[in-house]
Amino acid sequence: MALRNTRILLREFERKSLNTLAASPVVLGSVTTSVTAADPCSFDLTTPVTTKAASPTEEDTTTSEKARRSEINLDFNDGKKLFSSVTTGKLIRSMLNQQMASYEPIVDVGIKVMRSRLVETMIVKDFIMSMVKHTFYDHFCAGENLDEAKKTLQKLWNGGLKGIMDYGLEDATDNASCDRNYNEFLKIVETTKLLPPSSVSYACVKVTAICPISLLKRVSDLLRWEHKDSSFHLPWKVDTLPMLADSSPFYHTMSRPNHLTPSEEYDLHQAHQRLIKLSEKCLESKLPLLVDAEYSSVQPAIDYLTYSTMIRINRDGNRIVHGTIQTYFRDAKERLIQATEAAEKMGVTLGLKLVRGAYLSSESQLASSLGFPSPIHRSIQDTHACYDECASIMLEKVAQGTGAVVLATHNIESGRAAASKVESLGLEKSSEKVQFAQLKGMADGLSFALKNAGFQVSKYLPYGPVDMVIPYLLRRAEENKGLLSASTFDRQLMSKEVTRRLKAAVTPSTSQ
């Protein structure tokens, strides 16, 4: 009976989703209305924005010719071409899942239930896990294990997209858990040898999974204090790129921290060796590696390990190790410029993934609780401007032969701006050094439009057992609750295509 009621509820949501979309027509093409989106950082979402494109003026014609040509190439009008590799059933399920994910009461109830004692009852737990697996989990995740993730990857590859394998590991607490996680990351790299060539664009690693998070906090404190006091010597520190700027947040470290103990230094060395060995394995397999970003409290240590590894690996034109810049931070552009300048002097190819960010609420709340202004840009428009400026800088570095960039964005206008910049710089759209990325289950319209325009496009594929990945998803859902409610563009595209297919099925003789 419960399952029957659930199916009725899902059908009701599907009906409401279709009715809502049908009542809100969208104008597609180079001019769109109410386009909103979020961005991935690993499996993270960010604040959406509603943008409205004005009609081109005569001045626009003379100053933005290349940009408009690029916009025309990102064709959202032809739904038949856009979703040619997606079945009608898949389109409807995607619309339904996105609609449910955008409904805050469902997210609220889901979070409360998953954190209640109800899940301690085996029957209830099995039912809830089954519901989650066949809805949100299947929509946003690639499978419970590597074999299932490989099947999802194959479907993407058949549709012209690549995959970024992202194993949903929790933060490590000791060297034993770090070693276990490290071995799982190695399996991903080894598995790519058995997959279609180039179907996996990047492997993905979380430093918090191969280094105890408590140690990352300690190292970050020390790095922040060193930046404030140049006489503060860190004997364990090796060559790296700049991790902090004068505009970076320093309120995490209000007093002089104690130096690392011999045991902590050993653990840091072990963590660094894991990242180096994983990067060397990626170099051997010619598989680039993305290092995810985290909270500002531990990000300096993550950047330290990433950049010091990059200096060793990204030589002689190799573009293996990629760090991550979260552009919702006010210091993002300054840190990026410092890193590019230092990398060029050292002859290192700077690899970066650009995202907007994922921890908007918690970052602002922490700063406020300590009596400091938020490290996040004051407006979403400032965040978008920062993202686009950082993307432009990195694309210029690619053109100069000193950089490689992953443009992780769900934002239509940012996608168009980057596509325009690629064309204006004369870069090859198919260049492996310029790639776009979106989360599985998000911004499929943008993914396919970029792919159809000739760009390299990948989908983030988080995978792992349902009960292991759920806490990871819950944190993201709670942090970004309600943001999907404004992200209607994909549903509008899918609704239009489903309607076209249904009409074609009913009246095939008059369909196009």
Side-chain angles (χ1 to χ4, degrees):
M1 176 65 71
L3 287 174
R4 179 175 178 272
N5 290 337
T6 300
R7 285 194 293 269
I8 293 173
L9 175 63
L10 294 181
R11 283 198 297 270
E12 179 66 12
F13 263 102
E14 179 181 333
R15 182 187 64 79
K16 290 183 178 179
S17 175
L18 289 170
N19 289 344
T20 299
L21 295 175
S24 304
V26 61
V27 180
L28 304 176
S30 60
V31 179
T32 60
T33 65
S34 188
V35 178
T36 57
D39 283 81
C41 169
S42 294
F43 194 50
D44 301 333
L45 307 180
T46 191
T47 306
V49 64
T50 300
T51 61
K52 189 171 183 178
S55 299
T57 65
E58 185 174 345
E59 182 179 356
D60 293 331
T61 303
T62 59
T63 60
S64 305
E65 185 64 29
K66 290 181 179 179
R68 290 202 331 277
R69 283 204 303 268
S70 178
E71 289 183 5
I72 293 173
N73 288 338
L74 295 187
D75 181 14
F76 297 99
N77 282 299
D78 190 349
K80 182 178 181 180
K81 180 180 180 181
L82 204 61
F83 297 109
S84 61
S85 61
V86 185
T87 66
T88 302
K90 173 66 174 174
L91 285 175
I92 293 175
R93 286 193 299 273
S94 294
M95 290 165 57
L96 173 60
N97 284 319
Q98 287 192 22
Q99 183 72 17
M100 286 195 295
S102 72
Y103 191 53
E104 283 197 47
I106 286 184
V107 177
D108 290 336
V109 171
I111 291 174
K112 289 180 181 178
V113 169
M114 292 306 300
R115 290 178 174 167
S116 71
R117 292 186 177 181
L118 283 174
V119 294
E120 297 176 6
T121 305
M122 187 58 64
I123 296 177
V124 175
K125 180 179 179 180
D126 288 345
F127 173 73
I128 292 175
M129 289 297 178
S130 177
M131 282 294 302
V132 171
K133 176 173 174 55
H134 293 97
T135 52
F136 300 117
Y137 180 90
D138 283 348
H139 183 75
F140 293 110
C141 300
E144 294 200 61
N145 51 52
L146 200 50
D147 287 337
E148 290 184 8
K150 284 160 58 178
K151 293 177 182 178
T152 302
L153 175 67
Q154 184 65 58
K155 293 177 182 177
L156 282 178
W157 180 243
N158 293 341
L161 301 176
K162 299 182 179 183
I164 299 173
M165 307 298 281
D166 184 13
Y167 190 51
L169 293 169
E170 289 296 294
D171 296 340
T173 56
D174 53 32
N175 279 325
S177 58
C178 288
D179 286 335
R180 287 195 300 272
N181 293 341
Y182 166 71
N183 289 327
E184 289 295 334
F185 288 128
L186 281 180
K187 287 181 183 178
I188 296 175
V189 179
E190 290 293 333
T191 299
T192 60
K193 299 176 182 178
L194 307 176
L195 298 170
S198 300
S199 61
V200 178
S201 52
Y202 301 89
C204 186
V205 64
K206 298 175 180 64
V207 173
T208 54
I210 59 173
C211 180
I213 195 161
S214 59
L215 180 57
L216 290 173
K217 291 179 180 178
R218 288 272 289 123
V219 172
S220 294
D221 282 336
L222 291 164
L223 291 170
R224 276 188 287 264
W225 198 262
E226 181 202 38
H227 185 89
K228 293 192 293 185
D229 181 1
S230 59
S231 66
F232 190 67
H233 178 59
L234 302 177
W236 43 264
K237 188 179 177 184
V238 298
D239 288 342
T240 187
L241 302 178
M243 301 146 289
L244 293 160
D246 291 340
S247 59
S248 297
F250 290 92
Y251 49 75
H252 306 83
T253 312
M254 300 302 293
S255 60
R256 181 187 177 101
N258 294 324
H259 281 283
L260 296 181
T261 65
S263 175
E264 287 175 323
E265 284 196 31
Y266 173 80
D267 288 348
L268 179 61
H269 175 74
Q270 290 296 100
H272 201 181
Q273 287 300 305
R274 293 184 191 101
L275 184 58
I276 290 172
K277 290 177 181 178
L278 181 61
S279 300
E280 289 174 342
K281 179 63 69 173
C282 286
L283 177 60
E284 177 186 320
S285 302
K286 298 181 180 180
L287 177 66
L289 177 67
L290 300 180
V291 182
D292 279 345
E294 295 290 342
Y295 298 99
S296 60
S297 60
V298 297
Q299 193 58 45
I302 293 173
D303 286 340
Y304 164 72
L305 293 171
T306 302
Y307 288 150
S308 57
T309 303
M310 192 183 296
I311 289 172
R312 296 181 55 144
I313 303 296
N314 290 17
R315 298 282 187 175
D316 303 320
N318 289 318
R319 52 165 196 95
I320 298 299
V321 182
H322 291 64
T324 298
I325 294 285
Q326 300 175 91
T327 62
Y328 69 173
F329 284 121
R330 287 185 282 129
D331 68 340
K333 183 180 176 181
E334 186 180 359
R335 287 190 292 112
L336 182 143
I337 291 174
Q338 289 180 171
T340 58
E341 292 174 349
E344 287 178 0
K345 290 178 181 179
M346 300 174 73
V348 174
T349 299
L350 180 65
L352 287 177
K353 176 182 67 173
L354 298 181
V355 302
R356 280 171 172 76
Y359 306 108
L360 177 67
S361 298
S362 55
E363 292 286 2
S364 297
Q365 289 169 5
L366 174 61
S368 177
S369 70
L370 297 173
F372 288 88
S374 172
I376 308 298
H377 285 295
R378 293 181 179 178
S379 70
I380 187 60
Q381 289 77 17
D382 289 343
T383 295
H384 289 316
C386 183
Y387 183 94
D388 293 342
E389 289 169 4
C390 289
S392 180
I393 291 170
M394 284 306 299
L395 288 171
E396 289 172 0
K397 298 305 176 184
V398 172
Q400 296 167 11
T402 60
V405 65
V406 180
L407 300 165
T409 181
H410 294 170
N411 186 278
I412 304 297
E413 298 309 320
S414 289
R416 283 178 171 150
S420 173
K421 187 70 175 181
V422 168
E423 288 196 350
S424 68
L425 291 171
L427 292 170
E428 292 291 331
K429 292 180 180 179
S430 59
S431 171
E432 296 290 337
K433 293 184 178 182
V434 179
Q435 303 208 31
F436 290 86
Q438 290 82 40
L439 287 172
K440 178 183 182 294
M442 292 290 292
D444 288 345
L446 178 60
S447 298
F448 288 122
L450 287 165
K451 184 265 294 183
N452 291 341
F455 293 97
Q456 300 283 331
V457 184
S458 299
K459 284 290 192 180
Y460 256 80
L461 301 178
Y463 72 95
V466 178
D467 56 350
M468 183 181 78
V469 175
I470 278 180
Y472 179 66
L473 296 178
L474 282 178
R475 286 197 303 276
R476 297 305 185 267
E478 189 170 40
E479 182 70 28
N480 303 283
K481 187 171 54 179
L483 298 186
L484 282 173
S485 62
S487 184
T488 61
F489 188 57
D490 242 25
R491 282 174 279 160
Q492 291 170 332
L493 291 174
M494 290 185 284
S495 176
K496 180 182 177 183
E497 174 57 13
V498 168
T499 300
R500 185 199 66 79
R501 293 183 184 184
L502 292 176
K503 288 181 178 179
V506 174
T507 57
S509 60
T510 61
S511 65
Q512 296 183 358

